[in-house]
Amino acid sequence: MKNEKNGEEIKGKLIAVEGLDGSGKSTQIHLLYKWLFGNGYKVFFTEWNSSDLVKESTKKAKKRQLLTPTTFSLIHATDFTDRYERQILPMLKAGYIVLCDRYIFTSYARDQVRGCDPDWLRNIYQYVILPDIVFYFQLPLEVSLSRILDGRPALKYFEAGMDMNLSPDPYMSFRLFQGRVKEQYELMVEEFHFTVIQAELLILQQQEKMKEIVKSKINLSLYKKGVM
Amino acid sequence: MSQKLFFVAPPPKVDPARLFGKLIVIEGLDSSGRTTQVSLLSDWLEQQGFAVIQTGLKRSELVSESLEQAKKGNVLSPRTISLFYATDFYDQLENRIIPSLKAGFVVIADRYIYTLMARDILRGADKEWLKILYSRAIIPDAVFFLNVDCNALLDRTLQSRGRLDYWESGMDIGCAREWYDSFMIYQQNMRMEFRKLHKEYHFNVINGNRTQKTINTELKKKVEQLLEK
């Protein structure tokens, strides 16, 4: 992988999972991590929206429901950039396999649905290295909705897309919002060469498939602990 | 003439046709006398019967607190700080400036995207990246740049605070080991960046080396013309 900005060779590999809430992507990336770690590979895992420094602001902002599409996007970009420069990029340069639960495509999908301009969004993340593999967990909208909604959870304001005034009912709003986010993901499959995983398959089958793809695209022997 | 222009386009959900007020920006380096002029101008406008609201950098409800903390620890990368400031800027633009303009206020901004851009460029940010980042901002009705030479800035800083500030001296960039040298180099570089921005955005340059009163008189005259339009 090359960092195209300065032509520098990057030893590490970057794998991201993307998909709707309820698509099972977090489960799968967790299992992949366990497998790589357990087999003695240098691997690092990181989640969207988890930088310590920015977390406080993000939490406060969401609670106060004062975010606009623009500030929603920027506050997540700030959080991501902190993590990217502090963890993801150094890990990649140090030759780790970095696993990301959601990457910039989450912002592209959600923020575009909220009305942000696609070119403006792509500019923000222009400095970012694209993953070697993006697993996209694809499944019918109804299935992912029922996985989330069947338990009648308390939906958070922004998670349900309530800021978009799609419906006064959080559950209906969530359905409509997720439907639009899914459309955006589907549009990106080709543009960013997503590897599509059928998320209706058994968990075990999905995991086998992912391992196969990882093995075919990455020479894992280079990433054994102790190998420089 | 109430239609406001945006550098490229308004942020999502903002209707540019309903912004009736005026946006006046006062720009200038640290200790160039901006804040004094902003407050003199506000008082005077209010006496004339205009409703005035002031804004500035790092004042958003959303992130100003976290941003302040983060700067104290000096632990954020330049790009993270850039985006943090951009968040702060757009929060104020959308939750303070735009609603005020809708209500017909005169908004006086103590610095605007130009300071943010100049600072970030000195810290290695790509200018095109910044221009697109701030492309959803309103083009102000006027930008007054208070032009003060660096020796005067140094004098004013030392007189008012008795010491130099870490960020205002550009110590995070490592221009020089000595604070004094670093301050002079950093402020010179900021001036140069502003000069480049001036070529592009055509500021109304005000000679800031004169007395507060003289500067204020000139500003008032210019603002008066603007409001008559």
Side-chain angles (χ1 to χ4, degrees):
Chain A
M1 173 168 41
K2 275 222 172 101
N3 179 352
E4 290 181 7
K5 289 279 125 32
N6 44 27
E8 177 188 5
E9 195 82 38
I10 303 247
K11 286 183 285 176
K13 293 287 177 188
L14 182 58
I15 301 174
V17 292
E18 288 278 4
L20 293 184
D21 299 336
S23 62
K25 62 185 176 326
S26 303
T27 307
Q28 291 296 339
I29 195 95
H30 172 72
L31 293 173
L32 195 65
Y33 175 79
K34 287 280 178 180
W35 174 65
L36 289 168
F37 186 80
N39 283 291
Y41 296 109
K42 290 187 283 187
V43 60
F44 174 75
F45 169 72
T46 171
E47 284 174 275
W48 186 251
N49 208 10
S50 61
S51 138
D52 286 342
L53 260 165
V54 191
K55 218 192 245 164
E56 272 310 299
S57 292
T58 321
K59 226 195 257 164
K60 200 168 72 183
K62 288 187 176 173
K63 217 178 260 166
R64 284 172 42 249
Q65 308 180 357
L66 257 185
L67 293 171
T68 65
T70 305
T71 53
F72 185 91
S73 180
L74 285 171
I75 206 161
H76 285 92
T78 311
D79 180 274
F80 174 83
T81 303
D82 188 38
R83 254 178 337 111
Y84 182 80
E85 301 202 316
R86 197 186 294 273
Q87 304 180 312
I88 299 176
L89 191 56
M91 287 286 176
L92 287 173
K93 287 190 173 175
Y96 276 71
I97 298 173
V98 177
L99 305 182
C100 295
D101 188 350
R102 298 185 176 278
Y103 202 61
I104 58 175
F105 312 105
T106 287
S107 163
Y108 290 175
R110 288 182 187 169
D111 297 345
Q112 215 165 306
V113 167
R114 290 196 156 90
C116 291
D117 177 70
D119 294 331
W120 183 80
L121 284 170
R122 280 158 176 65
N123 176 69
I124 290 182
Y125 293 104
Q126 178 214 54
Y127 65 93
V128 161
I129 289 178
L130 291 178
D132 296 277
I133 308 172
V134 181
F135 289 111
Y136 168 56
F137 292 79
Q138 191 176 52
L139 81 174
L141 183 61
E142 274 312 313
V143 180
S144 64
L145 286 175
S146 75
R147 283 187 191 171
I148 298 287
L149 297 179
D150 281 357
R152 299 297 282 178
L155 293 171
K156 289 180 192 143
Y157 183 82
F158 284 100
E159 184 188 21
M162 292 299 283
D163 57 313
M164 296 181 58
N165 299 319
L166 299 170
S167 161
D169 170 40
Y171 295 97
M172 184 46 81
S173 174
F174 182 77
R175 288 171 171 276
L176 295 168
F177 181 58
Q178 293 289 306
R180 293 192 189 180
V181 172
K182 181 173 159 65
E183 279 170 25
Q184 292 301 325
Y185 270 127
E186 298 293 336
L187 287 171
M188 283 191 286
V189 168
E190 216 172 299
E191 184 183 354
F192 294 104
H193 312 292
F194 288 173
T195 301
V196 179
I197 297 289
Q198 295 306 332
E200 276 180 302
L201 295 175
L202 293 174
I203 290 177
L204 197 63
Q205 286 174 319
Q206 293 179 53
Q207 185 61 208
E208 286 305 319
K209 190 133 203 224
M210 286 171 75
K211 286 181 194 168
E212 229 169 80
I213 290 163
V214 169
K215 280 191 274 190
S216 74
K217 292 201 174 176
I218 297 174
N219 181 358
L220 286 176
S221 63
L222 298 174
Y223 299 93
K224 274 275 188 200
K225 274 182 198 151
V227 176
M228 283 310 278
Chain B
M1 277 301 288
S2 56
Q3 174 99 10
K4 284 278 175 289
L5 296 174
F6 288 74
F7 287 103
V8 170
K13 296 202 248 181
V14 172
D15 176 6
R18 296 180 47 231
L19 306 175
F20 305 106
K22 294 278 182 202
L23 174 59
I24 298 171
V25 172
I26 313 282
E27 274 285 6
L29 300 180
D30 302 310
S31 298
S32 60
R34 277 183 340 258
T35 310
T36 309
Q37 293 301 333
V38 166
S39 97
L40 291 173
L41 200 58
S42 306
D43 286 348
W44 174 72
L45 282 170
E46 286 185 333
Q47 282 163 20
Q48 312 286 309
F50 290 98
V52 177
I53 197 156
Q54 296 181 19
T55 93
L57 306 181
K58 221 170 51 182
R59 295 190 199 168
S60 73
E61 273 187 65
L62 189 57
V63 295
S64 57
E65 226 174 278
S66 313
L67 190 48
E68 193 57 51
Q69 272 179 359
K71 281 185 81 176
K72 271 187 194 137
N74 305 341
V75 285
L76 293 182
S77 73
R79 205 190 318 264
T80 310
I81 294 185
S82 266
L83 286 165
F84 228 149
Y85 269 106
T87 313
D88 171 83
F89 174 80
Y90 277 106
D91 187 44
Q92 291 195 77
L93 181 76
E94 294 184 276
N95 289 322
R96 192 169 168 88
I97 298 178
I98 286 175
S100 304
L101 292 174
K102 263 187 202 161
F105 277 61
V106 177
V107 179
I108 305 185
D110 186 348
R111 297 188 287 194
Y112 200 61
I113 62 167
Y114 312 104
T115 286
L116 296 172
M117 289 170 80
R119 279 186 195 162
D120 287 350
I121 290 168
L122 287 189
R123 287 167 176 81
D126 178 60
K127 194 170 176 189
E128 282 310 305
W129 183 77
L130 286 166
K131 277 171 80 171
I132 300 176
L133 182 61
Y134 288 111
S135 63
R136 269 58 197 165
I138 297 178
I139 300 176
D141 294 287
V143 181
F144 297 105
F145 180 74
L146 296 179
N147 196 20
V148 178
D149 66 56
C150 290
N151 285 313
L153 291 178
L154 178 73
D155 242 21
R156 288 185 194 179
T157 307
L158 291 177
Q159 270 173 23
S160 66
R161 274 181 289 174
R163 61 187 175 84
L164 296 174
D165 171 85
Y166 178 87
W167 296 96
E168 289 178 16
S169 306
M171 287 305 285
D172 62 309
I173 311 182
C175 303
R177 285 171 64 85
E178 289 273 336
W179 283 60
Y180 171 83
D181 297 335
S182 186
F183 178 92
M184 294 305 274
I185 295 170
Y186 180 67
Q187 295 293 341
Q188 286 289 4
N189 290 342
M190 280 293 282
R191 274 190 100 200
M192 250 148 51
E193 260 341 299
F194 266 112
R195 203 168 299 154
K196 286 186 212 158
L197 290 170
H198 168 49
K199 277 194 190 131
E200 194 166 345
Y201 297 104
H202 311 291
F203 303 145
N204 199 324
V205 180
I206 307 270
N207 176 357
N209 293 310
R210 300 166 300 168
T211 63
Q212 282 182 2
K213 214 179 147 198
T214 316
I215 296 169
N216 186 236
T217 308
E218 184 179 345
L219 268 176
K220 283 198 287 201
K221 206 185 291 167
K222 289 185 164 166
V223 168
E224 209 161 30
Q225 286 167 1
L226 182 75
L227 294 176
E228 277 165 7
K229 270 187 210 166

